[in-house]
Amino acid sequence: MNPLKFMESRLGRFSPKYRKLVLRTYVVTLRLVLTVAFPNMVAGIFYAIIGNREKQYVSFLKGSKTWGTAVIKMTKTDLMIKNEMQIPERGHMIFLNHVNEIDFPYDCLVVNKPYLANQVIKKTLVAYWWMKAMGSQVFETSKAATIAVSVRNLIKGLSTTSYIVYPEGHNSYSEIIQPMQKGMIKLAYENKIPVVVVLKSGITTYQTEPMFAKVAYKFIGRYEPWTYASWESFRDFLYETMSKEKIALDSEIGTVREPVSSKSK
């Protein structure tokens, strides 16, 4: 599908200002690849050619941070990190709340780890190519066989890195934590993968006003899913913890929790 038509189908209910911002956010990646992120891309391609995947991923991860910096400058955003980001280098799933199309560059900047993404990311062209180059995985769920392959690739990848995961499973377009999806939580429980929780606040501001947003990130904690009685009990604990901590973070920076997101009449 043409990226512009895809954006229109996904964002038709939002204001023209927001749709324009999303377009600018993803188009700017083309400029970054040819300017400030170019040395990282060249280094990453070199390491890919000689088979050094670890240095390849590090190079592209460094380049990905320039995306967040560019969006901050473009939107004059006040980005706050509320405490130390204790992001484990390897072996963890990093659970974040997923708000809208604008949080990807900030996650690249603040957390700066590969993603466990779904198939939708394939439609973002340059962003998808870069995310794959920095070690991200697309978790295929179309067939049982592809799920099994994705799980094996995940376990293998965790030996060298940690992955960003969105446990809500989709864009929420809301500051309110949505119900947790079964997949990644059950996978973490059954495979004894520790989970780190990071929350963000203020991203919905862009849905009504593309400039001068106040955005905050906060490290919440590290948890061991297998210590809970079942994956369902861990899911419930996770949802309650993320919801409670999200309310506190929203209050701390003054985020409106129920923004108007549809077109103005």
Side-chain angles (χ1 to χ4, degrees), residues 3-252:
L4 295 178
K5 290 183 178 179
F6 175 69
M7 185 184 74
E8 180 67 29
S9 68
R10 288 286 297 273
L11 304 177
R13 67 189 176 96
F14 291 99
S15 69
K17 287 194 299 183
Y18 180 66
R19 280 180 277 159
K20 182 179 179 180
L21 175 61
V22 172
L23 182 60
R24 290 178 65 202
T25 296
Y26 285 85
V27 168
V28 78
T29 60
L30 296 172
R31 176 175 63 80
L32 296 172
V33 165
L34 298 175
T35 55
V36 293
F38 186 73
N40 304 113
M41 181 181 70
V42 171
I45 291 173
F46 170 75
Y47 288 125
I49 291 172
I50 67 174
N52 191 328
R53 294 298 180 192
E54 186 173 351
K55 287 190 175 181
Q56 171 197 326
Y57 298 155
V58 168
S59 296
F60 278 101
L61 281 167
K62 285 181 179 178
S64 74
K65 297 180 77 169
T66 67
W67 192 19
T69 302
V71 174
I72 288 172
K73 185 176 181 180
M74 184 174 72
T75 58
K76 302 187 186 304
T77 293
D78 179 12
L79 176 65
M80 296 167 282
I81 312 300
K82 302 304 292 185
N83 57 3
E84 181 184 357
M85 286 288 126
Q86 301 173 43
I87 307 300
E89 286 297 317
R90 59 181 59 85
H92 289 68
M93 287 184 173
I94 306 159
F95 280 15
L96 278 78
N97 55 312
H98 192 12
V99 182
N100 59 34
E101 291 75 15
I102 309 300
D103 59 10
F104 283 118
Y106 291 119
D107 293 347
C108 286
L109 175 63
V110 177
V111 180
N112 199 227
K113 286 294 179 186
Y115 293 82
L116 277 183
N118 60 33
Q119 296 93 323
V120 174
I121 192 63
K122 291 182 178 181
K123 298 181 183 292
T124 58
L125 300 179
V126 174
Y128 168 65
W129 176 80
W130 195 287
M131 286 174 65
K132 286 287 289 181
M134 71 186 199
S136 299
Q137 294 189 32
V138 175
F139 206 90
E140 300 280 359
T141 58
S142 55
K143 303 175 184 176
T146 58
I147 294 173
V149 171
S150 295
V151 171
R152 287 198 297 271
N153 290 339
L154 166 62
I155 301 301
K156 181 180 178 181
L158 286 169
S159 66
T160 58
T161 192
S162 295
Y163 290 100
I164 292 174
V165 178
Y166 298 125
E168 296 161 294
H170 54 81
N171 292 357
S172 67
Y173 299 104
S174 171
E175 297 292 346
I176 297 172
I177 299 297
Q178 304 299 300
M180 305 285 104
Q181 298 297 305
K182 172 182 178 179
M184 293 297 105
I185 295 174
K186 190 169 186 285
L187 192 153
Y189 178 84
E190 292 180 343
N191 292 276
K192 296 188 176 181
I193 302 169
V195 166
V196 161
V197 174
V198 176
L199 293 175
K200 71 193 78 157
S201 177
I203 296 288
T204 55
T205 303
Y206 297 111
Q207 293 164 205
T208 53
E209 180 50 58
M211 302 291 288
F212 304 107
K214 184 184 291 186
V215 173
Y217 277 69
K218 187 173 184 179
F219 177 89
I220 304 303
R222 178 187 181 276
Y223 307 99
E224 297 180 341
W226 62 93
T227 63
Y228 291 79
S230 64
W231 73 264
E232 291 95 341
S233 61
F234 179 62
R235 175 198 60 196
D236 295 344
F237 165 79
L238 189 69
Y239 177 72
E240 291 168 7
T241 299
M242 290 178 69
S243 297
K244 179 184 69 175
E245 295 289 350
K246 182 66 167 60
I247 290 171
L249 181 58
D250 291 342
S251 177
E252 193 172 349

